Amino acid sequence: MAQSNFMDIKKVNEKLSKNLEEIFKSERYKELLNIMTKFHNYSLNNQLLIMFQKPNATMVKGFKGWQELGRNVNKGEKGIKILAPVMSTVEVEKKDPITKEPLKDDKGNPIKTKMKMLVGFRYATVFDVSQTNGKELPNVRDFIKNNLQEDKN
Protein backbone atom coordinates (compact mmCIF):
# COMPACT_ATOMS: atom_id res chain seq x y z
CA MET A 1 0.00 0.00 0.00
CA ALA A 2 1.37 3.43 -0.96
CA GLN A 3 2.09 5.79 1.89
CA SER A 4 0.47 9.24 1.71
CA ASN A 5 2.38 12.49 2.25
CA PHE A 6 -0.81 14.12 3.52
CA MET A 7 -0.83 15.68 7.00
CA ASP A 8 -3.84 17.43 8.46
CA ILE A 9 -3.60 21.09 9.50
CA LYS A 10 -3.62 20.30 13.21
CA LYS A 11 -0.62 17.95 12.89
CA VAL A 12 1.27 20.45 10.71
CA ASN A 13 0.73 23.26 13.24
CA GLU A 14 1.77 21.02 16.15
CA LYS A 15 4.92 19.96 14.29
CA LEU A 16 5.82 23.54 13.35
CA SER A 17 5.25 24.78 16.90
CA LYS A 18 7.42 22.04 18.38
CA ASN A 19 10.25 22.53 15.90
CA LEU A 20 10.16 26.34 16.10
CA GLU A 21 10.39 26.14 19.89
CA GLU A 22 13.46 23.89 19.59
CA ILE A 23 15.06 26.23 17.05
CA PHE A 24 14.56 29.31 19.21
CA LYS A 25 16.10 27.56 22.24
CA SER A 26 19.18 26.67 20.20
CA GLU A 27 22.43 28.54 20.91
CA ARG A 28 23.27 28.22 17.21
CA TYR A 29 20.11 30.17 16.34
CA LYS A 30 21.15 32.95 18.72
CA GLU A 31 24.50 33.06 16.92
CA LEU A 32 22.71 33.29 13.55
CA LEU A 33 20.59 36.22 14.76
CA ASN A 34 23.67 37.93 16.19
CA ILE A 35 25.50 37.62 12.87
CA MET A 36 22.45 38.73 10.88
CA THR A 37 22.33 41.97 12.87
CA LYS A 38 25.87 42.73 11.70
CA PHE A 39 24.92 42.82 8.02
CA HIS A 40 23.73 45.99 6.40
CA ASN A 41 20.41 46.39 4.68
CA TYR A 42 21.46 47.64 1.27
CA SER A 43 19.50 50.12 -0.82
CA LEU A 44 17.92 48.99 -4.06
CA ASN A 45 20.70 50.77 -5.97
CA ASN A 46 23.39 48.89 -4.04
CA GLN A 47 21.52 45.60 -4.41
CA LEU A 48 21.52 46.15 -8.17
CA LEU A 49 25.23 47.05 -8.17
CA ILE A 50 25.98 43.87 -6.23
CA MET A 51 23.81 41.75 -8.54
CA PHE A 52 25.42 43.13 -11.70
CA GLN A 53 28.94 42.54 -10.41
CA LYS A 54 28.43 39.22 -8.61
CA PRO A 55 25.05 37.65 -9.48
CA ASN A 56 25.43 34.77 -7.00
CA ALA A 57 26.27 36.96 -3.99
CA THR A 58 24.36 36.08 -0.83
CA MET A 59 26.05 37.94 2.08
CA VAL A 60 28.34 40.90 1.54
CA LYS A 61 30.50 42.84 3.95
CA GLY A 62 33.60 44.98 3.83
CA PHE A 63 37.13 43.64 4.36
CA LYS A 64 37.30 44.63 8.03
CA GLY A 65 33.75 43.46 8.63
CA TRP A 66 34.66 39.95 7.54
CA GLN A 67 37.69 40.03 9.83
CA GLU A 68 35.44 40.95 12.76
CA LEU A 69 33.46 37.76 12.05
CA GLY A 70 36.61 35.63 12.02
CA ARG A 71 36.84 35.38 8.24
CA ASN A 72 39.41 36.60 5.71
CA VAL A 73 39.00 37.65 2.10
CA ASN A 74 40.71 35.16 -0.21
CA LYS A 75 43.87 36.47 -1.85
CA GLY A 76 43.28 37.90 -5.32
CA GLU A 77 39.51 38.34 -4.95
CA LYS A 78 38.00 41.26 -6.84
CA GLY A 79 35.78 43.40 -4.64
CA ILE A 80 32.23 44.48 -5.39
CA LYS A 81 31.85 48.27 -5.67
CA ILE A 82 28.86 49.85 -3.96
CA LEU A 83 27.92 53.40 -2.99
CA ALA A 84 28.48 54.39 0.64
CA PRO A 85 26.96 57.54 2.12
CA VAL A 86 29.26 60.41 3.07
CA MET A 87 28.03 62.24 6.15
CA SER A 88 29.28 65.60 7.34
CA THR A 89 28.53 67.74 10.36
CA VAL A 90 26.96 71.01 9.25
CA GLU A 91 25.62 73.99 11.14
CA VAL A 92 21.95 74.76 10.55
CA GLU A 93 19.42 77.14 12.01
CA LYS A 94 17.02 75.63 14.54
CA LYS A 95 13.40 75.99 13.49
CA ASP A 96 10.17 76.02 15.41
CA PRO A 97 8.53 72.62 14.80
CA ILE A 98 5.10 74.19 14.29
CA THR A 99 5.71 77.44 12.43
CA LYS A 100 8.96 76.33 10.74
CA GLU A 101 10.33 79.83 11.46
CA PRO A 102 13.96 80.13 12.64
CA LEU A 103 14.29 80.20 16.44
CA LYS A 104 16.08 83.28 17.81
CA ASP A 105 18.12 83.93 20.95
CA ASP A 106 17.63 86.88 23.35
CA LYS A 107 19.48 89.20 20.96
CA GLY A 108 17.40 88.23 17.93
CA ASN A 109 20.12 86.11 16.32
CA PRO A 110 19.15 82.75 14.81
CA ILE A 111 19.95 79.79 17.07
CA LYS A 112 22.24 77.36 15.29
CA THR A 113 22.81 73.70 15.90
CA LYS A 114 25.14 71.09 14.46
CA MET A 115 23.78 67.98 12.82
CA LYS A 116 25.01 65.21 10.57
CA MET A 117 23.76 65.38 7.01
CA LEU A 118 24.22 63.32 3.89
CA VAL A 119 26.50 65.31 1.59
CA GLY A 120 27.25 62.72 -1.07
CA PHE A 121 28.39 59.20 -1.85
CA ARG A 122 31.70 57.42 -2.32
CA TYR A 123 32.62 54.04 -3.69
CA ALA A 124 33.12 51.32 -1.10
CA THR A 125 34.29 47.77 -1.66
CA VAL A 126 32.51 44.74 -0.25
CA PHE A 127 33.06 41.00 -0.67
CA ASP A 128 30.63 38.10 -0.80
CA VAL A 129 30.92 35.30 1.76
CA SER A 130 31.98 33.01 -1.13
CA GLN A 131 35.09 35.18 -1.49
CA THR A 132 36.14 34.54 2.11
CA ASN A 133 37.37 31.74 4.31
CA GLY A 134 37.57 31.18 8.04
CA LYS A 135 35.09 30.71 10.85
CA GLU A 136 31.90 28.98 9.71
CA LEU A 137 28.82 31.17 9.69
CA PRO A 138 25.45 29.68 10.57
CA ASN A 139 22.74 30.04 7.97
CA VAL A 140 18.98 29.68 7.83
CA ARG A 141 19.14 26.62 5.57
CA ASP A 142 21.01 24.73 8.30
CA PHE A 143 18.13 25.31 10.69
CA ILE A 144 15.47 24.35 8.21
CA LYS A 145 17.36 21.23 7.17
CA ASN A 146 18.38 20.10 10.66
CA ASN A 147 15.48 21.24 12.81
CA LEU A 148 12.35 21.07 10.71
CA GLN A 149 12.70 17.45 9.62
CA GLU A 150 9.89 15.02 10.26
CA ASP A 151 10.03 13.25 13.61
CA LYS A 152 11.33 9.72 13.37
CA ASN A 153 8.61 8.48 15.77
Side-chain angles (χ1 to χ4, degrees):
M1 183 192 289
Q3 201 171 14
S4 171
N5 287 334
F6 179 80
M7 289 176 74
D8 68 45
I9 298 290
K10 186 177 178 185
K11 278 192 174 188
V12 170
N13 285 333
E14 287 171 3
K15 186 169 199 52
L16 284 172
S17 293
K18 179 183 174 220
N19 286 318
L20 284 172
E21 187 176 319
E22 289 176 23
I23 287 171
F24 287 115
K25 287 180 184 175
S26 161
E27 289 299 315
R28 190 107 165 105
Y29 189 76
K30 290 176 188 173
E31 183 183 354
L32 171 67
L33 289 177
N34 185 39
I35 287 174
M36 287 173 68
T37 64
K38 295 179 182 179
F39 285 89
H40 297 286
N41 291 323
Y42 291 100
S43 68
L44 177 60
N45 286 340
N46 278 337
Q47 289 178 40
L48 291 171
L49 286 170
I50 292 166
M51 184 183 74
F52 291 140
Q53 296 170 74
K54 189 149 186 75
N56 296 327
T58 57
M59 279 194 283
V60 297
K61 203 158 188 52
F63 189 86
K64 288 182 183 177
W66 284 118
Q67 288 180 328
E68 290 170 6
L69 292 176
R71 298 187 65 81
N72 295 302
V73 174
N74 299 328
K75 188 173 182 162
E77 288 290 352
K78 182 180 175 192
I80 303 165
K81 299 290 185 198
I82 63 169
L83 296 173
V86 175
M87 304 297 282
S88 181
T89 303
V90 295
E91 196 170 70
V92 295
E93 290 181 356
K94 273 190 163 184
K95 295 191 178 196
D96 183 284
I98 297 169
T99 65
K100 305 294 183 205
E101 294 293 319
L103 294 175
K104 306 217 183 233
D105 64 15
D106 296 339
K107 296 179 182 176
N109 299 319
I111 299 173
K112 299 200 177 200
T113 186
K114 292 184 179 185
M115 62 185 288
K116 285 196 174 257
M117 292 184 71
L118 176 67
V119 294
F121 293 89
R122 65 176 174 79
Y123 279 110
T125 304
V126 294
F127 298 89
D128 182 55
V129 66
S130 66
Q131 298 174 287
T132 68
N133 65 71
K135 182 180 173 188
E136 181 188 351
L137 299 175
N139 67 56
V140 175
R141 286 188 194 136
D142 291 341
F143 294 103
I144 293 170
K145 184 176 166 187
N146 296 331
N147 293 313
L148 294 179
Q149 293 176 354
E150 267 195 1
D151 291 334
K152 307 236 176 191
N153 299 339

